[in-house]
Amino acid sequence: MSEKPNKIQLELEEDYEANRPDPFFKLFTRLQAEQLGLIAKESELQYSTRADLILSVPAGLSVENTLFDFFRRVNVVEFKSENDKFRLRQYVHNQLRIDLEFLQSDAETFDDFLNVIVCSRRPRTFLKVARQRKIRFKPDKGKPWLLSAAVGFQNVVIVICAELPIEEPYFNWLLFAPADSTRWREFVQKLLAEGETKLADAARRMHPKEYIMQYDKFLEEAEAKGLIPPDKLTKYDIQGMKRTVKFWQNMAERYGAEEVARIIVPEFDDDVLVQGLSPERRKALLQKLLAEQEQAEASDPENSSENNK
């Protein structure tokens, strides 16, 4: 019997639009939660009250030092991207979801329930409205990116992706910091340096133009400082780019083939490099590639020892 395809592999093959990060958020968050032992509940509610994710922490499971270390037993998660503002109406939707979860349970209090709002950037308009109602969201100790408050009977937290520390437990949510923020740019640089290809692919699909700029910067700085040997850069590029030929073709059409070709390093498939290029530019690129490939082969110790036999 053939092995069932991995859900993340199937989902990542789809060509999501740049302004639709929500599928990526649900996918990466759910995958990380289930790997840690949390339970994702399927919502059977109608659209207006359907939660992005309902995650439960089983009794006895420790989530300490993970992305979810502030969770309670039942957590109703709502995500708001940089293009989807979080305002009072959106808050009321998640408040209602918590109420419905509470009513469907045998609980006597809301102590085991948490209203979780994950925002790309700080929701200043909502926080201003809350302050006017004497509701103050305060940062948790040691977690300035996590704002919490008691609103009525409910416990509410707001996670600000743009303020998360660039540390491994938070990688999946750093992906959703605004692409124009310093935090997102630094995060992408770290992904590239550490070869985190799945997350880098997601960043590239959601914010292609901004990603290209960071990728270019990464290659230039790495080569200039000698932080990563050229052969490792080449291997990383081949592994990453060969899986996304369609992406580079789309980028060539959108931003110009020369701009795309400028950031691609040697030893790459010709059909990827030459898409949409003029005959003159194609010939120049291929000559450059052949020359650099010959130089690399000449300096390869294995080739030298083989020739001396």
Side-chain angles (χ1 to χ4, degrees), residues 28-48:
F28 282 114
T29 302
R30 179 167 181 161
L31 181 66
Q32 184 172 3
E34 291 181 340
Q35 286 175 340
L36 292 171
L38 279 71
I39 299 171
K41 176 183 176 181
E42 297 294 340
S43 175
E44 299 176 353
L45 304 174
Q46 62 182 0
Y47 178 76
S48 61

Side-chain angles (χ1 to χ4, degrees), residues 4-16 23-35 172 175 196-202 205 243:
K4 185 178 180 180
N6 186 299
K7 183 177 180 180
I8 191 170
Q9 293 174 345
L10 294 175
E11 293 283 354
L12 286 177
E13 287 301 317
E14 297 185 15
D15 190 19
Y16 290 117
F24 278 116
F25 176 83
K26 295 174 186 177
L27 178 65
F28 282 114
T29 302
R30 179 167 181 161
L31 181 66
Q32 184 172 3
E34 291 181 340
Q35 286 175 340
N172 281 348
L175 188 63
E196 293 281 353
T197 55
K198 281 192 175 76
L199 288 173
D201 285 345
R205 294 192 184 197
R243 292 195 303 270

Side-chain angles (χ1 to χ4, degrees), residues 36 52 60 120 222 237 255 271 278 280 292:
L36 292 171
D52 281 345
S120 179
D237 292 329
Y255 302 112
D271 59 338
S278 65
E280 295 79 11
E292 291 182 350

Side-chain angles (χ1 to χ4, degrees), residues 3-228:
E3 187 178 351
K4 185 178 180 180
N6 186 299
K7 183 177 180 180
I8 191 170
Q9 293 174 345
L10 294 175
E11 293 283 354
L12 286 177
E13 287 301 317
E14 297 185 15
D15 190 19
Y16 290 117
E17 295 296 329
N19 62 349
R20 290 195 61 228
D22 297 62
F24 278 116
F25 176 83
K26 295 174 186 177
L27 178 65
F28 282 114
T29 302
R30 179 167 181 161
L31 181 66
Q32 184 172 3
E34 291 181 340
Q35 286 175 340
L36 292 171
L38 279 71
I39 299 171
K41 176 183 176 181
E42 297 294 340
S43 175
E44 299 176 353
L45 304 174
Q46 62 182 0
Y47 178 76
S48 61
T49 52
R50 183 181 298 130
D52 281 345
L53 285 168
I54 301 176
L55 299 173
S56 299
V57 180
L61 178 69
S62 173
V63 290
E64 187 177 1
N65 298 323
T66 73
L67 176 63
F68 311 106
D69 65 358
F70 59 90
F71 268 22
R72 301 196 178 204
R73 188 176 63 83
V74 178
N75 309 272
V76 180
V77 183
E78 173 71 4
F79 170 63
K80 290 299 173 186
S81 67
E82 57 184 305
N83 297 320
D84 186 11
K85 305 300 182 184
F86 178 61
R87 302 186 187 279
L88 182 59
R89 182 172 293 274
Q90 286 73 35
Y91 168 77
V92 172
H93 281 169
N94 222 44
Q95 177 179 264
L96 178 57
R97 293 161 187 151
I98 287 282
D99 289 338
L100 290 172
E101 284 295 311
F102 172 77
L103 291 172
Q104 291 173 354
S105 74
D106 297 327
E108 296 295 331
T109 71
F110 281 87
D111 291 348
D112 287 337
F113 296 81
L114 188 60
N115 184 337
V116 182
I117 311 296
V118 181
C119 293
S120 179
R121 63 174 85 241
R122 185 175 288 263
R124 300 186 185 280
T125 301
F126 172 78
L127 293 174
K128 180 180 179 181
V129 172
R131 286 194 298 270
Q132 291 172 349
R133 288 287 183 173
K134 309 300 181 184
I135 301 171
R136 296 195 175 275
F137 284 85
K138 297 180 180 180
D140 275 23
K141 184 177 180 181
K143 294 184 175 72
W145 47 268
L146 182 66
L147 309 180
S148 60
V151 184
F153 290 101
Q154 290 191 14
N155 304 293
V156 185
V157 296
I158 299 175
V159 177
I160 307 170
C161 295
E163 299 178 19
L164 286 165
I166 305 179
E167 299 171 3
E168 190 169 358
Y170 309 108
F171 274 14
N172 281 348
W173 283 358
L174 278 164
L175 188 63
F176 304 98
D180 61 358
S181 67
T182 300
R183 191 60 52 94
W184 186 86
R185 292 192 292 268
E186 292 175 347
F187 172 58
V188 170
Q189 291 294 315
K190 189 172 182 68
L191 292 180
L192 292 170
E194 297 185 0
E196 293 281 353
T197 55
K198 281 192 175 76
L199 288 173
D201 285 345
R204 176 169 55 197
R205 294 192 184 197
M206 286 189 290
H207 304 290
K209 187 174 182 179
E210 293 85 352
Y211 180 88
I212 285 178
M213 294 172 64
Q214 293 307 309
Y215 189 84
D216 197 8
K217 178 182 178 183
F218 166 72
L219 291 183
E220 290 177 357
E221 292 185 356
E223 290 177 309
K225 297 178 181 178
L227 297 178
I228 304 179

